[in-house]
Amino acid sequence: MKYPGIWPCQDVIRILFEESVMEVLRPQLIRIDGRNYRKNPVQEQTYQHEEDEEDFYQGSMECADEPCDAYEVEQTPQGFRSTVRAPSLLYKHIVGRRGDTRKKIEMETKTSISIPKPGEDGEIVITGQHRNGVISARTRIDVLLDTFRRKQPFTHFLAFFLNEVEVQEGFLRFQEEVLAKCSMDHGVDSSIFQNPKKLHLTIGMLVLLSEEEIQQTCEMLQKCKEEFINDISGGKPLEVEMAGIEYMNDDPGMVDVLYAKVHMKDGSNRLQELVDRVLERFQASGLIVKEWNSVKLHATVMNTLFRKDPNAEGRYNLYTADGKYIFKERESFDGRNILKLFENFYFGSLKLNSIHISQRFTIDSFGNYASCGQIDFS
């Protein structure tokens, strides 16, 4: 909602106060291994240099009331032991700058934490004399891993490819006609159109930081196929149509993303049901962070981020590898005439027979996103 003018100072203070109160009353919940943990609000410091950010530590996690069976803890002759598997890319966040984060956890939980060297795969090993101390350290490490994983840019995504010849030709016809009839409209030019070889339907975005995690994703996708995809698809490709266009924001005169709609040719809801159940399963496993309850089926055909960067990938391209937010200036386009003239444009029909684990910013020999794995319906 947009407000004209400038808000009075007291209104700003009131809003900030209310938001602060809500942070305390309704703290963020982090789901780890099927259990929910409260993430208490803390005042975070902003550091000038990147290396200082590694000293980030969330403070004491409220885990004293957690049952002792929350994690697998092995009793040894020396005490107790628990292990955590994590991508080597995240080790530095457990160590912290000059080892401060690890030392703090060890001191507060009376444990010893062994972390593999950077670049080496292995397990984080927690040992201690007291079982509760080991569990407490494990909880804090898991929360840190989850926190910094969320700061990583997406690396892969689950998708259907829409690069069949009929649809590509339909897309090129759409582009040609739009440029012929609407090129005088503000911001409309050839640079903001999608590459037809990259047309796709995204089911969900993934952060996969190791080959092991890619393999886990392949296995989860295979389980989805066995447990419900075969029943929904009937062991056959889904016959769909790509027809009609829509825009993402609320002002057709200032559009950043225009997309084509995709639906089943038989008018059923099977495609939506299938992708929603895949999303739900991956969210429950923790491989996809829960943002939405349903997949918005759309195939991006125009995106203003392409204007300056043909390889840009929408809203998912706003973070660096270190989790830094990047502000990407974009010039919106006037989509009113396009929406009026091409509202029901028919791009073509195709058969969806595979879900791919696609790697961002990487293309195959056909110019499509490189696939790290897939399942086929037939």
Side-chain angles (χ1 to χ4, degrees), residues 179-198:
L179 292 175
K181 298 176 181 179
C182 306
S183 60
M184 298 302 292
D185 294 343
H186 176 76
V188 177
D189 61 52
S190 61
S191 68
I192 62 176
F193 285 85
Q194 174 68 283
N195 180 339
K197 295 179 180 179
K198 290 185 174 182

Side-chain angles (χ1 to χ4, degrees), residues 165-185:
V165 174
E166 180 182 342
V167 169
Q168 287 191 14
E169 291 177 348
F171 170 82
L172 291 173
R173 190 174 68 255
F174 169 77
Q175 179 177 343
E176 181 181 356
E177 293 183 19
V178 167
L179 292 175
K181 298 176 181 179
C182 306
S183 60
M184 298 302 292
D185 294 343

Side-chain angles (χ1 to χ4, degrees), residues 2-103:
K2 299 178 181 177
Y3 298 89
I6 300 175
W7 290 353
C9 180
Q10 61 267 30
D11 288 345
V12 175
I13 294 174
R14 175 180 56 79
I15 291 170
L16 291 176
F17 174 76
E18 289 175 353
E19 290 179 349
S20 177
V21 170
M22 291 307 295
E23 273 191 341
V24 174
L25 295 178
R26 299 179 63 182
Q28 178 184 350
L29 296 179
I30 295 178
R31 188 173 181 82
I32 299 172
D33 290 339
R35 310 192 69 86
N36 291 323
Y37 296 90
R38 294 188 297 274
K39 179 180 175 184
N40 289 334
V42 296
Q43 184 175 0
E44 298 181 13
Q45 292 178 294
T46 301
Y47 296 99
Q48 181 178 358
H49 301 292
E50 179 182 337
E51 60 266 25
D52 290 334
E53 293 182 354
E54 296 179 8
D55 197 30
F56 171 85
Y57 180 64
Q58 289 288 351
S60 296
M61 295 291 118
E62 291 190 1
C63 59
D65 57 347
E66 288 298 318
C68 292
D69 60 354
Y71 298 112
E72 289 187 9
V73 178
E74 174 190 0
Q75 187 166 8
T76 69
Q78 292 77 32
F80 296 89
R81 179 179 183 271
S82 183
T83 59
V84 187
R85 290 202 67 86
S88 60
L89 184 65
L90 299 181
Y91 291 163
K92 63 181 181 181
H93 301 300
I94 307 303
V95 176
R97 186 165 57 94
R98 297 189 300 269
D100 290 347
T101 301
R102 173 168 56 183
K103 292 174 184 175

Side-chain angles (χ1 to χ4, degrees), residues 305-321:
L305 284 180
F306 299 154
R307 197 187 304 279
K308 292 185 178 181
D309 181 4
N311 295 315
E313 297 178 9
R315 69 184 183 92
Y316 305 114
N317 195 32
L318 298 177
Y319 291 88
T320 67

